[in-house]
Amino acid sequence: MFGYVPLGMAFGVLFTAQLDYSWWVAPLMAVTIFAGAAQILAVGLLASEADLVAVFVAMLVLNSRHLFYGLSLLGRFSGAGWRKLYLIFGLTDETYSLLTSRSRGPDAAAEQRVDFLITLFNQSYWIVGCALGAWLGSRIQFNSTGIEFALVALFIVLAIEQYKALGQMLPLWLGAAGAGIAVAVLPASHQLLGAIVLVAAALLASYRLSLQPAATREPPGHG
């Protein structure tokens, strides 16, 4: 809640400051889209009068990272029944971080109910934040420059929480290296997807190498 409400308010303020829409459209986006980074990106694109095709492509590329999120949760969401569609729809960076870092019990059905509630509460916090920010932004005039950095700050906190859960520095170093390579060699429109592909490939290679000693170990001899 302490992450979603302030970030949602930041989005709401940006929405009303940069776009000539009614304030209630901001929480409506939170209900139908629920993608913090993509919504903030959409505000900038719409403010620059980008065509809808460009907005669609940009949001598709930005959210392509969810392909990797979904692959890692195939087993966890299996058998979730009617909750599965909403779990897929509501899978954001922050929700993914919470679902993958929390401790889990042996009862899969009970854990899926908790996953559903976490996702539902997260979207509720986001909707409330977007509504508050947009409503206040439509009535109070102030300089909103830099407020979008709240998104970067939240991602930093999530990265720290993932490190605490994993206890390994390798994914962080690979992420930093992948981002650096993508920024150096790829155009801005492809940097995010390129970095994700590089890091995913490096992690898969690392996992494969970690299995080799066990795979090549000779079976014990017999009498």
Side-chain angles (χ1 to χ4, degrees), residues 7-33:
L7 184 59
M9 292 180 67
F11 165 76
V13 170
L14 284 174
F15 185 91
T16 54
Q18 298 188 21
L19 298 178
D20 188 24
Y21 295 130
S22 300
W23 70 270
W24 54 265
V25 178
L28 180 61
M29 286 182 68
V31 172
T32 57
I33 299 176

Side-chain angles (χ1 to χ4, degrees), residues 31-70:
V31 172
T32 57
I33 299 176
F34 188 35
Q39 288 180 228
I40 293 175
L41 173 65
V43 169
L45 292 173
L46 292 173
S48 63
E49 299 183 353
D51 61 82
L52 292 180
V53 174
V55 174
F56 171 79
V57 172
M59 295 184 70
L60 179 65
V61 172
L62 179 61
N63 286 323
S64 60
R65 65 192 185 282
H66 290 178
L67 292 170
F68 300 92
Y69 294 172

Side-chain angles (χ1 to χ4, degrees), residues 29 39 45 56 78 85 109 115 140 145 151 181 183 203 209:
M29 286 182 68
Q39 288 180 228
L45 292 173
F56 171 79
S78 177
L85 289 178
D115 290 343
I140 303 173
T145 302
L151 183 67
I181 294 172
V183 170
L203 287 172
L209 290 174

